[in-house]
Amino acid sequence: MQVNLVLSGGGARGFAHPGMVKALIELGFEPVAISGTSAGAMAGAFLAAGYVPEEILELFIKNNFFKMVGGAFNKGLLNMDKIEVFFRSALPADFSALKMPLTINATDILTGNIVWFNSGELIKPVLASASIPGLFKPISYEGKFLVDGGVMNNLPVEPFEGSALKIIGMHVNHVGVIPPPSTTWSVIERSFELGVYSNAEHRRKMCNIYLEPEGLSSVKIFDYQKARTIYQMGYDHVMQRRDELLSVLR
């Protein structure tokens, strides 16, 4: 069955996306278009470029993505220079070279508007979509000052409104219940998670199938060393719902 995929942001939790896609493909679903934000924009770009889920996981581990994220500071903010080099070596330069349609959203921090990208240069919009405010420098592109797309829309289902195909929403920011935060950073991180969760909540109703691995609430935004575990959590979540999903196929 051909389907549209909507991939949320979530930092390191985004490794659950290729895990879920692997399981969906094994069950008989065929992604033909993707809309993604932040970590979902990253995963979506590699999927749309033709990488299979296992390749995406291994490529990020091989290139030590964790160290890239912890790169040089610039006035207190992390830059994306090393990530950009990695992406330019692994991804097409332009949306038109992708193997399936991809839409990415970012947030214009100056106007508060959602900005959509589905044509032209690929890498800058992907980087902009994943620029978590307060951690990464905003990306200046096409006259806009862009930050993480999840700030305004962490489940970008809108590009598929009116589509005849079923929409599978993949949300990796299950908030759950956590122990009391013990540091200022943990309070900020939790507050950001709650904000992006709230803007995705009403959009889940627009999805025909909604996937949200609950175990990811224990994973931190920068837990990139847990990539394999997170990937497996995504895969397992889909397979735990195997009967339900197979009934959709029938």
PDB file of all heavy atoms in Angstrom, residues 187-205:
ATOM      1  N   VAL A 187      15.254  21.405  32.727  1.00  0.00           N
ATOM      2  CA  VAL A 187      13.978  22.134  32.743  1.00  0.00           C
ATOM      3  C   VAL A 187      13.710  22.744  31.372  1.00  0.00           C
ATOM      4  O   VAL A 187      12.589  22.670  30.848  1.00  0.00           O
ATOM      5  CB  VAL A 187      13.993  23.235  33.826  1.00  0.00           C
ATOM      6  CG1 VAL A 187      12.740  24.100  33.722  1.00  0.00           C
ATOM      7  CG2 VAL A 187      14.071  22.615  35.216  1.00  0.00           C
ATOM      8  N   ILE A 188      14.742  23.347  30.774  1.00  0.00           N
ATOM      9  CA  ILE A 188      14.587  23.960  29.447  1.00  0.00           C
ATOM     10  C   ILE A 188      14.239  22.888  28.413  1.00  0.00           C
ATOM     11  O   ILE A 188      13.345  23.078  27.581  1.00  0.00           O
ATOM     12  CB  ILE A 188      15.882  24.692  29.052  1.00  0.00           C
ATOM     13  CG1 ILE A 188      16.091  25.896  29.970  1.00  0.00           C
ATOM     14  CG2 ILE A 188      15.828  25.140  27.588  1.00  0.00           C
ATOM     15  CD1 ILE A 188      17.440  26.571  29.790  1.00  0.00           C
ATOM     16  N   GLU A 189      14.945  21.758  28.463  1.00  0.00           N
ATOM     17  CA  GLU A 189      14.705  20.677  27.513  1.00  0.00           C
ATOM     18  C   GLU A 189      13.269  20.165  27.623  1.00  0.00           C
ATOM     19  O   GLU A 189      12.575  19.989  26.625  1.00  0.00           O
ATOM     20  CB  GLU A 189      15.687  19.529  27.762  1.00  0.00           C
ATOM     21  CG  GLU A 189      15.537  18.362  26.794  1.00  0.00           C
ATOM     22  CD  GLU A 189      16.523  17.248  27.065  1.00  0.00           C
ATOM     23  OE1 GLU A 189      17.162  17.244  28.137  1.00  0.00           O
ATOM     24  OE2 GLU A 189      16.658  16.360  26.198  1.00  0.00           O
ATOM     25  N   ARG A 190      12.827  19.951  28.858  1.00  0.00           N
ATOM     26  CA  ARG A 190      11.465  19.453  29.073  1.00  0.00           C
ATOM     27  C   ARG A 190      10.429  20.469  28.587  1.00  0.00           C
ATOM     28  O   ARG A 190       9.427  20.108  27.974  1.00  0.00           O
ATOM     29  CB  ARG A 190      11.257  19.165  30.559  1.00  0.00           C
ATOM     30  CG  ARG A 190       9.861  18.677  30.928  1.00  0.00           C
ATOM     31  CD  ARG A 190       9.533  17.341  30.297  1.00  0.00           C
ATOM     32  NE  ARG A 190       8.308  16.782  30.850  1.00  0.00           N
ATOM     33  CZ  ARG A 190       7.762  15.630  30.458  1.00  0.00           C
ATOM     34  NH1 ARG A 190       8.340  14.928  29.505  1.00  0.00           N
ATOM     35  NH2 ARG A 190       6.655  15.185  31.016  1.00  0.00           N
ATOM     36  N   SER A 191      10.674  21.740  28.836  1.00  0.00           N
ATOM     37  CA  SER A 191       9.743  22.785  28.411  1.00  0.00           C
ATOM     38  C   SER A 191       9.632  22.825  26.896  1.00  0.00           C
ATOM     39  O   SER A 191       8.531  22.983  26.338  1.00  0.00           O
ATOM     40  CB  SER A 191      10.197  24.146  28.946  1.00  0.00           C
ATOM     41  OG  SER A 191      10.223  24.154  30.360  1.00  0.00           O
ATOM     42  N   PHE A 192      10.772  22.682  26.201  1.00  0.00           N
ATOM     43  CA  PHE A 192      10.758  22.664  24.738  1.00  0.00           C
ATOM     44  C   PHE A 192       9.977  21.455  24.230  1.00  0.00           C
ATOM     45  O   PHE A 192       9.170  21.561  23.297  1.00  0.00           O
ATOM     46  CB  PHE A 192      12.193  22.634  24.201  1.00  0.00           C
ATOM     47  CG  PHE A 192      12.286  22.672  22.701  1.00  0.00           C
ATOM     48  CD1 PHE A 192      12.040  23.850  22.015  1.00  0.00           C
ATOM     49  CD2 PHE A 192      12.617  21.535  21.978  1.00  0.00           C
ATOM     50  CE1 PHE A 192      12.121  23.895  20.629  1.00  0.00           C
ATOM     51  CE2 PHE A 192      12.700  21.562  20.602  1.00  0.00           C
ATOM     52  CZ  PHE A 192      12.460  22.753  19.916  1.00  0.00           C
ATOM     53  N   GLU A 193      10.204  20.303  24.856  1.00  0.00           N
ATOM     54  CA  GLU A 193       9.487  19.090  24.460  1.00  0.00           C
ATOM     55  C   GLU A 193       7.974  19.273  24.599  1.00  0.00           C
ATOM     56  O   GLU A 193       7.205  18.869  23.725  1.00  0.00           O
ATOM     57  CB  GLU A 193       9.933  17.902  25.323  1.00  0.00           C
ATOM     58  CG  GLU A 193      11.358  17.451  25.076  1.00  0.00           C
ATOM     59  CD  GLU A 193      11.823  16.466  26.142  1.00  0.00           C
ATOM     60  OE1 GLU A 193      11.024  16.154  27.058  1.00  0.00           O
ATOM     61  OE2 GLU A 193      12.964  16.020  26.061  1.00  0.00           O
ATOM     62  N   LEU A 194       7.542  19.860  25.707  1.00  0.00           N
ATOM     63  CA  LEU A 194       6.111  20.057  25.937  1.00  0.00           C
ATOM     64  C   LEU A 194       5.524  21.025  24.916  1.00  0.00           C
ATOM     65  O   LEU A 194       4.391  20.839  24.447  1.00  0.00           O
ATOM     66  CB  LEU A 194       5.869  20.575  27.357  1.00  0.00           C
ATOM     67  CG  LEU A 194       6.210  19.608  28.492  1.00  0.00           C
ATOM     68  CD1 LEU A 194       6.064  20.296  29.840  1.00  0.00           C
ATOM     69  CD2 LEU A 194       5.333  18.363  28.441  1.00  0.00           C
ATOM     70  N   GLY A 195       6.310  22.039  24.553  1.00  0.00           N
ATOM     71  CA  GLY A 195       5.832  23.005  23.567  1.00  0.00           C
ATOM     72  C   GLY A 195       5.617  22.373  22.205  1.00  0.00           C
ATOM     73  O   GLY A 195       4.565  22.572  21.577  1.00  0.00           O
ATOM     74  N   VAL A 196       6.605  21.601  21.741  1.00  0.00           N
ATOM     75  CA  VAL A 196       6.462  20.997  20.417  1.00  0.00           C
ATOM     76  C   VAL A 196       5.417  19.876  20.434  1.00  0.00           C
ATOM     77  O   VAL A 196       4.754  19.617  19.426  1.00  0.00           O
ATOM     78  CB  VAL A 196       7.815  20.478  19.871  1.00  0.00           C
ATOM     79  CG1 VAL A 196       8.795  21.624  19.701  1.00  0.00           C
ATOM     80  CG2 VAL A 196       8.412  19.394  20.759  1.00  0.00           C
ATOM     81  N   TYR A 197       5.262  19.233  21.588  1.00  0.00           N
ATOM     82  CA  TYR A 197       4.226  18.198  21.683  1.00  0.00           C
ATOM     83  C   TYR A 197       2.837  18.818  21.540  1.00  0.00           C
ATOM     84  O   TYR A 197       1.964  18.269  20.853  1.00  0.00           O
ATOM     85  CB  TYR A 197       4.329  17.459  23.010  1.00  0.00           C
ATOM     86  CG  TYR A 197       3.376  16.272  23.127  1.00  0.00           C
ATOM     87  CD1 TYR A 197       3.736  15.030  22.606  1.00  0.00           C
ATOM     88  CD2 TYR A 197       2.129  16.399  23.728  1.00  0.00           C
ATOM     89  CE1 TYR A 197       2.879  13.945  22.690  1.00  0.00           C
ATOM     90  CE2 TYR A 197       1.268  15.313  23.813  1.00  0.00           C
ATOM     91  CZ  TYR A 197       1.642  14.096  23.299  1.00  0.00           C
ATOM     92  OH  TYR A 197       0.782  13.027  23.383  1.00  0.00           O
ATOM     93  N   SER A 198       2.656  19.973  22.157  1.00  0.00           N
ATOM     94  CA  SER A 198       1.328  20.590  22.133  1.00  0.00           C
ATOM     95  C   SER A 198       0.942  21.040  20.739  1.00  0.00           C
ATOM     96  O   SER A 198      -0.230  20.943  20.347  1.00  0.00           O
ATOM     97  CB  SER A 198       1.268  21.775  23.104  1.00  0.00           C
ATOM     98  OG  SER A 198       2.124  22.818  22.689  1.00  0.00           O
ATOM     99  N   ASN A 199       1.921  21.501  19.942  1.00  0.00           N
ATOM    100  CA  ASN A 199       1.543  21.942  18.599  1.00  0.00           C
ATOM    101  C   ASN A 199       1.335  20.773  17.638  1.00  0.00           C
ATOM    102  O   ASN A 199       0.782  20.953  16.545  1.00  0.00           O
ATOM    103  CB  ASN A 199       2.534  22.984  18.040  1.00  0.00           C
ATOM    104  CG  ASN A 199       3.851  22.390  17.551  1.00  0.00           C
ATOM    105  OD1 ASN A 199       3.889  21.420  16.812  1.00  0.00           O
ATOM    106  ND2 ASN A 199       4.953  23.012  17.949  1.00  0.00           N
ATOM    107  N   ALA A 200       1.759  19.584  18.043  1.00  0.00           N
ATOM    108  CA  ALA A 200       1.533  18.400  17.208  1.00  0.00           C
ATOM    109  C   ALA A 200       0.234  17.682  17.564  1.00  0.00           C
ATOM    110  O   ALA A 200      -0.309  16.922  16.760  1.00  0.00           O
ATOM    111  CB  ALA A 200       2.702  17.421  17.360  1.00  0.00           C
ATOM    112  N   GLU A 201      -0.279  17.942  18.767  1.00  0.00           N
ATOM    113  CA  GLU A 201      -1.399  17.151  19.281  1.00  0.00           C
ATOM    114  C   GLU A 201      -2.619  17.205  18.378  1.00  0.00           C
ATOM    115  O   GLU A 201      -3.223  16.174  18.065  1.00  0.00           O
ATOM    116  CB  GLU A 201      -1.745  17.643  20.693  1.00  0.00           C
ATOM    117  CG  GLU A 201      -2.828  16.825  21.386  1.00  0.00           C
ATOM    118  CD  GLU A 201      -2.412  15.394  21.686  1.00  0.00           C
ATOM    119  OE1 GLU A 201      -1.212  15.068  21.579  1.00  0.00           O
ATOM    120  OE2 GLU A 201      -3.290  14.592  22.019  1.00  0.00           O
ATOM    121  N   HIS A 202      -3.037  18.385  17.930  1.00  0.00           N
ATOM    122  CA  HIS A 202      -4.246  18.453  17.100  1.00  0.00           C
ATOM    123  C   HIS A 202      -4.002  17.935  15.695  1.00  0.00           C
ATOM    124  O   HIS A 202      -4.945  17.538  15.000  1.00  0.00           O
ATOM    125  CB  HIS A 202      -4.787  19.889  17.053  1.00  0.00           C
ATOM    126  CG  HIS A 202      -3.967  20.835  16.227  1.00  0.00           C
ATOM    127  ND1 HIS A 202      -2.851  21.471  16.721  1.00  0.00           N
ATOM    128  CD2 HIS A 202      -4.111  21.260  14.944  1.00  0.00           C
ATOM    129  CE1 HIS A 202      -2.341  22.247  15.776  1.00  0.00           C
ATOM    130  NE2 HIS A 202      -3.076  22.146  14.689  1.00  0.00           N
ATOM    131  N   ARG A 203      -2.729  17.888  15.271  1.00  0.00           N
ATOM    132  CA  ARG A 203      -2.423  17.424  13.922  1.00  0.00           C
ATOM    133  C   ARG A 203      -2.465  15.896  13.820  1.00  0.00           C
ATOM    134  O   ARG A 203      -2.592  15.355  12.721  1.00  0.00           O
ATOM    135  CB  ARG A 203      -1.066  17.952  13.475  1.00  0.00           C
ATOM    136  CG  ARG A 203      -1.045  19.464  13.277  1.00  0.00           C
ATOM    137  CD  ARG A 203       0.306  19.972  12.794  1.00  0.00           C
ATOM    138  NE  ARG A 203       0.213  21.368  12.379  1.00  0.00           N
ATOM    139  CZ  ARG A 203       0.530  22.404  13.144  1.00  0.00           C
ATOM    140  NH1 ARG A 203       0.963  22.188  14.387  1.00  0.00           N
ATOM    141  NH2 ARG A 203       0.423  23.631  12.685  1.00  0.00           N
ATOM    142  N   ARG A 204      -2.338  15.224  14.937  1.00  0.00           N
ATOM    143  CA  ARG A 204      -2.370  13.760  14.899  1.00  0.00           C
ATOM    144  C   ARG A 204      -3.709  13.248  14.377  1.00  0.00           C
ATOM    145  O   ARG A 204      -3.783  12.176  13.772  1.00  0.00           O
ATOM    146  CB  ARG A 204      -2.084  13.186  16.286  1.00  0.00           C
ATOM    147  CG  ARG A 204      -3.150  13.483  17.331  1.00  0.00           C
ATOM    148  CD  ARG A 204      -2.756  12.976  18.705  1.00  0.00           C
ATOM    149  NE  ARG A 204      -2.729  11.525  18.765  1.00  0.00           N
ATOM    150  CZ  ARG A 204      -2.346  10.821  19.832  1.00  0.00           C
ATOM    151  NH1 ARG A 204      -1.926  11.463  20.918  1.00  0.00           N
ATOM    152  NH2 ARG A 204      -2.380   9.510  19.821  1.00  0.00           N
ATOM    153  N   LYS A 205      -4.779  14.046  14.587  1.00  0.00           N
ATOM    154  CA  LYS A 205      -6.111  13.646  14.137  1.00  0.00           C
ATOM    155  C   LYS A 205      -6.227  13.661  12.619  1.00  0.00           C
ATOM    156  O   LYS A 205      -7.167  13.093  12.062  1.00  0.00           O
ATOM    157  CB  LYS A 205      -7.161  14.575  14.753  1.00  0.00           C
ATOM    158  CG  LYS A 205      -7.177  14.552  16.277  1.00  0.00           C
ATOM    159  CD  LYS A 205      -8.082  15.626  16.851  1.00  0.00           C
ATOM    160  CE  LYS A 205      -7.996  15.664  18.374  1.00  0.00           C
ATOM    161  NZ  LYS A 205      -8.792  16.774  18.953  1.00  0.00           N
TER     162      LYS A 205
END
